[in-house]
Amino acid sequence: MKKGLELRDDENLLTGLCRSSFNPELKTMLRALAEGIADWKHFITMASEHGVAALVYHNLEKLDLLQLLPEGEKSFLKKCLLKSLSRNTRNAKMLAEALHLMNSQDMKVVLLKGSALEIMVYGNEGLRQMSDVDVLLSRQDCLDARILLMKNGFRSYPVKSVFHKPIMGYIGKHLPTLMKNDMRLELHHELFGKDNSLTKLLFDESREIRINGERAFLPQISIFFLYLVRHLCMHEMNNESQLRLYSDLVILAEKSGDEIFTTELIDYAEQAGLSDMLAAKLQILRDLWGITYPEWINEFTDKHHDPASLNKFIFFLKSPKNNPPENKTKFYYKSFSEIPGIYRKVLYILGDLFPYPAFMKRRYRRNSTLGILPYYILRWGKLWYLIKGSMPDKLYLEDPTR
């Protein structure tokens, strides 16, 4: 881990525990940090806010450090692990039910994010905390699977607007969330924006596995790594981030670095316009977690990385959630620009301005139609930005994924 950063001992300990392997030097350093922690309650709060409480408990036990924690904090962390294991087991069962339906129609389903990582690197031990189950299908299968699942007991979050219904397969990266028995399922149709060739390659080169006897697929690993980098950067663009998303990259790198850090990874990043994003995260993994790369990866990282990346990481480490976005315009326009065709773009804007009442009630936590009227007026007022000019940094309606 890089020295000289403005991190407290508890932050260094938390970051150091977000990995899967520990050499003797690192074990000694983490023990010294743990022995110096005076406020374990604050440490536990940070672990919980960053979505890594289950992993932290596992690694504290692995390093024989649990005896340093007060009983209350130790018990809380253990409950987090058991809760995560229970949730992931329940989600796997419900996912198998969804897979059975989709497999009956010969739909190929590729696991993404936590559900893929739990199998690929975390070992199905509940270490990867997750709330949603994310899968990737072809665009048409995505739409057909939504109808199929809703006919078989899955309920959908409200579609934002009647204008969005015809273009659901082209806005955002996934369809409205489906729910059944507390499992939230997100059907993705795109991962990298306008250029869908990388999504197609990840999809085509995925490998088959079985989940409770049902067929599913795991993604091609180097493109999956790049997708996770992009996903993390989108969170940071919206001014929120968690160590959980960094630990995914760290543990993937530790366990499958030889497969990930190849010339193809750099080519994929350049193809998708993600060189700067990738370099920024590679720098953090190298300087904070000590992940090693081939020399040409180091050269790429030094050439493209943002010097402010480490400071941004420290900011999110100290304040992971609920930070007002610095530039909502940039986030909106990135998503808006990826919608193909003027007709779909127009429908997208109209849908943002005229959402369904059901969506508005859920979005703004209001129970009555009267209660949401001021929020419609607020949205319509944003038409001024359309009239004012066409400069991308002057227009913002709303994060399309919300």
Side-chain angles (χ1 to χ4, degrees):
M1 298 176 69
K2 188 172 183 177
K3 300 183 184 301
L5 295 177
E6 296 179 6
L7 297 180
R8 302 190 308 265
D9 285 352
D10 54 359
E11 293 168 340
N12 274 315
L13 177 62
L14 182 63
T15 304
L17 290 170
C18 289
R19 61 188 311 150
S20 62
S21 61
F22 304 87
N23 60 36
E25 181 183 1
L26 183 56
K27 288 179 181 179
T28 300
M29 185 192 75
L30 293 176
R31 173 168 287 278
L33 288 170
E35 288 174 344
I37 299 298
D39 189 352
W40 281 105
K41 185 170 291 187
H42 178 68
F43 177 85
I44 300 306
T45 299
M46 286 196 303
S48 181
E49 288 178 347
H50 279 285
V52 294
L55 179 63
V56 163
Y57 178 84
H58 172 81
N59 282 335
L60 285 171
E61 183 177 45
K62 181 177 179 179
L63 297 172
D64 195 27
L65 297 176
L66 281 177
Q67 72 272 16
L68 299 175
L69 277 69
E71 285 301 319
E73 282 67 30
K74 187 192 307 183
S75 175
F76 177 84
L77 283 180
K78 185 174 183 179
K79 286 178 182 177
C80 288
L81 175 58
L82 295 176
K83 181 179 179 181
S84 179
L85 180 58
S86 175
R87 182 191 296 117
N88 291 359
T89 301
R90 183 178 66 249
N91 282 351
K93 182 179 178 180
M94 291 305 304
L95 174 60
E97 179 181 329
L99 288 170
H100 178 74
L101 292 167
M102 292 184 282
N103 285 334
S104 72
Q105 301 301 310
D106 200 28
M107 297 176 180
K108 181 176 180 179
V109 183
V110 181
L111 305 183
L112 294 175
K113 299 184 187 176
S115 54
L117 289 161
E118 181 74 346
I119 296 169
M120 294 171 73
V121 295
Y122 285 98
N124 281 322
E125 298 181 88
L127 304 183
R128 184 21 165 100
Q129 295 174 220
M130 61 184 109
S131 53
D132 304 332
V133 173
D134 298 83
V135 298
L136 173 70
L137 299 92
S138 69
R139 195 182 306 276
Q140 188 57 53
D141 279 353
C142 210
L143 296 167
D144 293 343
R146 172 180 167 81
I147 296 171
L148 175 66
L149 293 168
M150 290 178 68
K151 286 180 178 178
N152 286 272
F154 284 80
R155 296 176 292 107
S156 174
Y157 280 17
V159 178
K160 181 180 284 189
S161 169
V162 65
F163 296 105
H164 283 185
K165 281 189 173 181
I167 58 171
M168 280 197 304
Y170 296 91
I171 57 177
K173 297 297 173 287
H174 59 77
L175 302 185
T177 302
L178 298 174
M179 286 192 66
K180 188 173 183 180
N181 293 349
D182 295 327
M183 182 191 80
R184 296 200 297 264
L185 179 64
E186 295 191 340
L187 305 176
H188 291 249
H189 50 79
E190 182 54 73
L191 304 179
F192 290 97
K194 282 183 177 179
D195 182 1
N196 67 359
S197 59
L198 283 185
T199 301
K200 185 176 186 304
L201 189 58
L202 177 146
F203 187 83
D204 291 344
E205 294 192 3
S206 58
R207 60 182 178 88
E208 184 174 335
I209 59 165
R210 295 279 163 172
I211 296 179
N212 293 352
E214 296 295 335
R215 182 186 65 185
F217 291 81
L218 291 176
Q220 196 269 13
I221 193 165
S222 58
I223 304 177
F224 183 46
F225 182 89
L226 185 61
Y227 163 66
L228 293 175
V229 167
R230 185 181 191 273
H231 175 66
L232 169 55
C233 289
M234 292 300 101
H235 274 278
E236 293 183 342
M237 192 180 293
N238 204 30
N239 227 26
E240 61 180 27
S241 184
Q242 287 182 299
L243 271 176
R244 174 178 58 169
L245 304 179
Y246 280 95
S247 66
D248 292 342
L249 300 178
V250 171
I251 294 174
L252 263 177
E254 288 178 324
K255 296 199 171 184
S256 302
D258 290 344
E259 296 177 66
I260 295 169
F261 302 125
T262 66
T263 54
E264 287 183 334
L265 177 66
I266 305 304
D267 293 340
Y268 294 148
E270 291 175 350
Q271 178 181 333
L274 299 176
S275 294
D276 292 348
M277 285 186 182
L278 175 62
K281 300 313 168 198
L282 290 178
Q283 180 207 12
I284 291 171
L285 266 58
R286 180 185 64 189
D287 292 354
L288 269 72
W289 276 276
I291 302 298
T292 58
Y293 312 124
E295 186 54 37
W296 51 270
I297 290 275
N298 285 321
E299 292 173 359
F300 165 84
T301 300
D302 293 338
K303 177 181 178 181
H304 290 280
H305 83 276
D306 178 359
S309 295
L310 286 173
N311 288 333
K312 291 177 183 177
F313 171 84
I314 293 171
F315 171 79
F316 288 119
L317 179 63
K318 297 177 184 295
S319 181
K321 292 286 188 179
N322 302 318
N323 301 299
E326 292 180 353
N327 191 339
K328 294 179 179 180
T329 299
K330 184 177 180 182
F331 190 92
Y332 175 80
Y333 254 92
K334 185 164 185 62
S335 299
F336 178 78
S337 66
E338 292 170 355
I339 299 171
I342 296 298
Y343 171 72
R344 295 189 184 98
K345 283 180 166 65
V346 170
L347 288 181
Y348 177 63
I349 292 173
L350 289 173
D352 254 354
L353 295 173
F354 301 99
Y356 280 128
F359 173 87
M360 295 289 283
K361 289 175 183 177
R362 182 177 178 276
R363 170 71 176 84
Y364 295 105
R365 299 179 182 179
R366 295 293 183 269
N367 296 321
S368 68
T369 301
L370 187 62
I372 61 175
L373 285 179
Y375 296 99
Y376 274 108
I377 295 171
L378 176 65
R379 284 172 176 269
W380 299 336
K382 291 173 183 175
L383 279 171
W384 168 245
Y385 292 111
L386 291 171
I387 298 169
K388 189 175 180 180
S390 60
M391 292 178 61
D393 61 349
K394 298 295 183 184
L395 173 61
Y396 170 73
L397 298 177
E398 183 178 302
D399 171 358
T401 66
R402 297 180 65 182

